[in-house]
Amino acid sequence: MAEARAARDRAYAPYSRFHVGAALLADDGRIMPGANVENASYGLSMCAERTAVFRAASEGARRLVAVAVAASNEEPTWPCGACRQVLWEFGPDMIVVSEGAGGRREERRLADLLPDAFGPADLA
Ligand code: THU
């Protein structure tokens, strides 16, 4: 969560002003953070969670066990639908921990946030 908070401080979100940091834990112990990065062409903006997943995968991580999310609003928020799907690819058993700026923390299983998910097994 400390890494997620630090990543939130690096978010580039001049349009929404909604700052999000995420930090992934890989099965080899590595922690890989990411922040949301917006764009003047709004639709090209990228969420913190997907920034972190693409970074982790690029670094060779293939099994992700947990993700910490720190957003700038008061209460904990959960990854958007697109991010849930991308997280699923490398971590169907993943635990998602979210902390609001107010300090309250909650935990969910990704499988509960994305029931009946489509994933690699469907293409096997
Ligand atoms: N955002 C994230 O980074 N993660 C989420 O789970 C929800 C939304 C970002 C996208 C955009 O930069 C801003 O928050 C407002 O939607």
Side-chain angles (χ1 to χ4, degrees):
M1 189 54 78
E3 294 263 9
R5 279 192 225 109
R8 179 181 61 195
D9 292 341
R10 298 189 294 269
Y12 176 74
Y15 308 109
S16 73
R17 301 186 196 286
F18 189 73
H19 294 209
V20 187
L24 285 163
L25 174 64
D27 67 343
D28 60 7
R30 280 185 294 170
I31 293 176
M32 278 157 299
N36 57 327
V37 179
E38 298 186 344
N39 191 272
S41 178
Y42 297 169
L44 300 181
S45 300
M46 183 53 64
C47 293
E49 295 90 332
R50 273 177 291 160
T51 300
V53 171
F54 296 141
R55 175 177 177 180
S58 300
E59 299 287 339
R62 292 292 181 270
R63 290 180 64 84
L64 304 174
V65 299
V67 63
V69 179
S72 55
N73 57 341
E74 190 68 9
E75 289 298 316
T77 58
W78 303 104
C80 78
C83 289
R84 294 177 196 199
Q85 178 67 34
V86 170
L87 288 164
W88 182 270
E89 185 78 16
F90 300 110
D93 299 319
M94 181 182 292
I95 299 295
V96 184
V97 187
S98 180
E99 187 183 271
R104 205 167 64 78
R105 197 181 282 192
E106 282 192 46
E107 207 174 289
R108 301 272 192 281
R109 294 171 50 81
L110 181 59
D112 293 326
L113 295 176
L114 192 67
D116 298 324
F118 179 83
D122 292 292
L123 300 175

